[in-house]
């Protein structure tokens, strides 16, 4: 992977190059933005450019062919440390940061990044799932963030500033990443051999342009489920048990891997959240004419729901916010059945059903 292969995020790349050229590159960064838009790829390209000894030290562009570049691509470079939250954990284990109990501070990220670089340039650590630090894990990392070893760099990757602990957020330079454009996501999908029909492209336009979600949106089963879910949510009386059961079934159909099931559950909450966001925007439309405002849900479904909506814009906004909270609870390993049941009950209350 080279910079030419990355789609989007040109402004962020230029910012890094300018900082490197001027000798003002910080040592701790927090990359925040929606999942599936290339933050991890961007971080690895930064690391690749900084570790490549075949190019000038002030160049962020790697040669792509030297031993350093090959090792970064293979995830075997001794000066590049990568950790992430295990799929079966709710938080990043402190063992990944400071080692097992009998080897504390003699292994783990904080120890490894303090060692001299093997290649003579830098030590770089990429910490994925920064949303999933608990207080204990964050405290383990504080000294490294406050007093980073010379020539080291830490890149933390999360989804929003609000989900970071204050102790982490205040010690990192935040770099904001925006969603990709629809055409950019379509290009990435086509590179993966996934062709979009006109209808799927329209769905993609309202998906938030996340590549991770776009891959799921091209699933025909999920498309059908999405349409049925939005049609059900638009009813004047919500069938609570039916919604919880059908949502649980579509999540279980994703397979046995916990991470995949969690991603699908979050996507279902995303479907519902977009629906309630659209309802709130339409109900706030000052002249009451919803014909000229695009909706994520099928137009007829959305207009029908607006006609019988009982709780006004505030109720729709509360329902939208409840969907966002439910998606966060998925990442905290909330029990699936309980989460779905309480979510359905709450949106029913907020919609007046």
């Amino acid at each position: 992977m080279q910079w030419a292969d990355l789609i989007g995020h040109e402004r962020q790349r230029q910012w890094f190059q300018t900082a490197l050229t001027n000798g003002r590159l910080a040592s701790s960064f927090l990359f925040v933005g929606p999942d599936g838009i290339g933050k991890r790829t961007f971080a690895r390209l930064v690391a690749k450019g900084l570790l490549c000894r075949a190019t000038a030290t002030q160049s962020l562009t790697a040669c792509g062919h030297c031993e350093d570049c090959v090792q970064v691509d293979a995830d075997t470079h001794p000066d590049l440390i990568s950790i992430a939250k295990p799929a079966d954990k709710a938080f990043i284990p402190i063992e990944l940061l400071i080692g097992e109990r009998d080897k504390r501070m003699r292994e783990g990220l904080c120890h490894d990044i303090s060692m001299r670089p093997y290649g003579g340039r830098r030590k770089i650590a990429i910490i994925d799932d920064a949303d999933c630090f608990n207080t204990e894990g964050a405290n383990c990392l504080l000294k490294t963030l406050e007093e980073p070893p010379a020539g080291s760099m830490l890149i933390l990757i999360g989804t929003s500033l609000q989900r970071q602990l204050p102790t982490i957020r205040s010690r990192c330079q935040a770099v904001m990443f925006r969603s990709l454009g629809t055409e950019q996501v379509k290009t990435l999908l086509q590179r993966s051999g996934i062709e979009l029909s006109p209808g799927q492209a329209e769905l993609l336009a309202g998906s938030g342009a996340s590549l991770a979600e776009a891959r799921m949106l091209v699933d025909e089963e999920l498309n059908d489920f999405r349409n049925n879910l939005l049609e059900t949510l638009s009813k004047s009386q919500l069938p609570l048990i039916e919604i919880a059961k059908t949502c649980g079934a579509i999540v279980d159909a994703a397979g046995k891997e916990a991470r995949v099931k969690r991603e699908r559950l979050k996507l279902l909450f995303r479907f519902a959240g977009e629906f309630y966001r659209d309802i709130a925007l339409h109900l706030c439309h000052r002249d009451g004419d919803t014909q000229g405002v695009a909706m994520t849900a099928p137009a007829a479904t959305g207009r029908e729901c607006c006609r019988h909506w009982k709780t006004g814009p505030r109720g729709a906004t509360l329902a939208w916010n409840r969907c966002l909270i439910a998606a966060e609870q998925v990442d905290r390993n909330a029990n699936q059945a309980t989460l779905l049941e309480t979510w359905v009950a709450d949106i029913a209350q907020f919609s007046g059903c």
Side-chain angles (χ1 to χ4, degrees):
M1 171 70 76
Q2 293 289 86
W3 285 112
D5 301 316
L6 182 71
I7 294 180
H9 316 310
E10 287 294 331
R11 183 175 61 84
Q12 290 83 353
R13 178 190 173 184
Q14 185 58 49
W15 184 91
F16 265 91
Q17 181 59 72
T18 301
L20 180 62
T21 300
N22 295 334
R24 296 182 178 178
L25 200 60
S27 58
S28 301
F29 293 94
L30 175 60
F31 289 4
V32 290
D35 270 330
I37 61 170
K39 300 189 303 295
R40 297 165 187 83
T41 300
F42 190 98
R44 292 187 68 84
L45 286 171
V46 169
K48 190 174 180 179
L50 294 176
L51 293 172
C52 176
R53 285 173 287 176
T55 56
T57 57
Q58 291 186 326
S59 173
L60 200 61
T61 301
C63 72
H65 307 294
C66 69
E67 182 180 2
D68 290 305
C69 291
V70 172
Q71 288 180 326
V72 170
D73 287 338
D75 203 21
T76 58
H77 198 292
D79 291 331
L80 178 59
I81 308 159
S82 299
I83 68 169
K85 179 182 72 66
D88 60 341
K89 301 291 185 181
F91 301 101
I92 296 176
I94 63 171
E95 289 76 14
L96 294 179
L97 301 168
I98 58 174
E100 298 290 342
R101 187 173 296 276
D102 59 342
K103 297 181 180 179
R104 287 287 156 86
M105 299 312 300
R106 288 183 286 130
E107 63 178 21
L109 180 145
C110 294
H111 169 269
D112 294 345
I113 202 169
S114 68
M115 305 298 288
R116 286 174 59 92
Y118 288 91
R121 276 202 170 181
R122 293 176 184 265
K123 278 281 191 179
I124 300 175
I126 298 175
I127 304 176
D128 209 346
D129 304 312
D131 296 347
C132 301
F133 274 113
N134 58 11
T135 302
E136 185 179 19
N139 288 339
C140 292
L141 194 61
L142 290 188
K143 185 175 181 181
T144 301
L145 291 176
E146 289 175 344
E147 303 174 10
S152 67
M153 175 183 288
L154 286 89
I155 301 176
L156 285 66
I157 301 174
T159 57
S160 72
L161 290 175
Q162 291 72 26
R163 296 189 64 180
Q164 311 307 314
L165 291 171
T167 50
I168 295 290
R169 189 170 61 234
S170 63
R171 289 166 172 81
C172 296
Q173 183 161 347
V175 181
M176 311 300 294
F177 288 79
R178 295 182 178 181
S179 297
L180 299 174
T182 300
E183 293 300 320
Q184 291 174 321
V185 178
K186 287 171 64 177
T187 299
L188 289 175
L189 288 172
Q190 288 167 358
R191 285 184 182 178
S192 304
I194 301 174
E195 295 293 333
L196 295 173
S197 68
Q200 290 168 337
E202 183 179 350
L203 263 182
L204 180 59
S207 73
S210 160
L211 181 59
E213 292 186 3
R215 284 198 177 105
M216 289 187 279
L217 282 172
V218 298
D219 184 307
E220 190 171 326
E221 181 184 16
L222 274 179
N223 276 332
D224 292 340
F225 173 82
R226 175 184 179 276
N227 292 333
N228 291 333
L229 174 64
L230 299 187
E231 184 176 347
T232 302
L233 293 178
S234 69
K235 294 181 178 179
S236 58
Q237 192 67 38
L238 294 182
L240 307 187
I241 297 177
E242 176 188 336
I243 293 175
K245 284 185 175 180
T246 54
C247 287
I250 197 71
V251 170
D252 291 338
K256 295 183 178 181
E257 189 177 349
R259 180 186 61 81
V260 177
K261 293 176 68 173
R262 284 200 300 271
E263 290 304 314
R264 180 168 286 197
L265 183 55
K266 286 195 293 184
L267 184 62
L268 303 190
F269 291 136
R270 174 68 176 271
F271 290 158
E274 290 173 347
F275 174 77
Y276 289 118
R277 177 199 62 194
D278 288 346
I279 297 300
L281 291 173
H282 275 61
L283 293 173
C284 287
H285 205 242
R286 58 186 179 185
D287 59 5
D289 179 13
T290 63
Q291 296 289 335
V293 183
M295 297 194 82
T296 302
T301 301
R303 287 196 295 271
E304 178 62 28
C305 186
C306 286
R307 278 196 286 268
H308 64 65
W309 189 265
K310 301 174 183 177
T311 57
R314 184 175 185 277
T317 302
L318 288 172
W320 175 18
N321 186 61
R322 182 63 180 89
C323 295
L324 297 176
I325 292 173
E328 291 184 359
Q329 291 172 327
V330 174
D331 284 329
R332 300 189 181 279
N333 280 0
N335 178 270
Q336 176 181 310
T338 303
L339 177 56
L340 284 171
E341 289 172 4
T342 55
W343 168 71
V344 172
D346 287 343
I347 62 174
Q349 177 184 354
F350 295 142
S351 61
C353 296

